[in-house]
Amino acid sequence: MATTHALHLPDGQRLPWHLMDKAVWDEEGVTVTMTDGVSHRVLLPEPGLLPETVRERVTASIVASRRVQLDARGGVRLVARRVPGYDTPRWEFIFDPGLDPSDPGLRALAEQALEEVRRSLGV
C-alpha cells in the first residue's frame, strides 16, 4: 500500500519514499533498493497503478541529484531529498558499487564534491 510518506509492504515494513534509491518491476513483482543498499522483494502479479505511484513519489522527493567521479576507483551520487517534517533538503551519498562508504579518504572527497554541488545549485 502506498501512502503520502511511504510504501507499506505486506509484511508490515515501511519504506519511506525519501530513502528509496530505485524500484525495478517485472512480471512477478518489484524489487525496491534503498539508499543504504538493502533490497526488498515483493510479489505483485497485478500491481495496478502502484508502479506509477512509486515513481511519482520517489521522484517528488528528489530536489537535486548529481553524480561525481571521486577518483579512478569510482564516484558517488549526491542526492538532495525532501524529508517530511524538515524544511531543508537532506543530502545523501550513494557510492558506486565496490566503494567503501566508510573509507575516510572517499568520504572527504565526497564531502568536498557536495560543497561544490551545493554552491553551484544554491541548495
Side-chain angles (χ1 to χ4, degrees):
M1 173 175 73
T3 66
T4 56
H5 296 291
L7 177 65
H8 296 266
L9 303 183
D11 66 3
Q13 290 185 77
R14 180 182 177 276
L15 307 180
W17 302 122
H18 68 278
L19 296 179
M20 282 189 193
D21 186 33
K22 66 182 174 182
V24 178
W25 299 85
D26 59 32
E27 59 279 345
E28 295 177 358
V30 63
T31 301
V32 176
T33 304
M34 306 305 287
T35 57
D36 64 2
V38 174
S39 292
H40 304 273
R41 177 79 179 151
V42 179
L43 299 179
L44 288 170
E46 295 182 33
L49 295 176
L50 195 56
E52 292 85 358
T53 301
V54 168
R55 177 182 302 275
E56 179 264 312
R57 301 270 166 86
V58 172
T59 301
S61 76
I62 298 172
V63 175
S65 178
R66 296 285 185 275
R67 186 185 178 288
V68 177
Q69 187 72 22
L70 296 176
D71 62 17
R73 296 174 289 171
V76 64
R77 197 159 27 103
L78 306 169
V79 183
R81 296 193 187 239
R82 291 176 188 87
V83 178
Y86 292 89
D87 293 332
T88 58
R90 299 187 113 182
W91 286 90
E92 59 190 11
F93 301 118
I94 303 172
F95 288 90
D96 287 351
L99 295 183
D100 179 4
S102 65
D103 177 319
L106 284 177
R107 291 297 291 192
L109 290 171
E111 292 282 350
Q112 181 180 357
L114 174 59
E115 287 310 310
E116 292 172 17
V117 167
R118 289 181 74 172
R119 219 177 3 260
S120 72
L121 296 176
V123 178

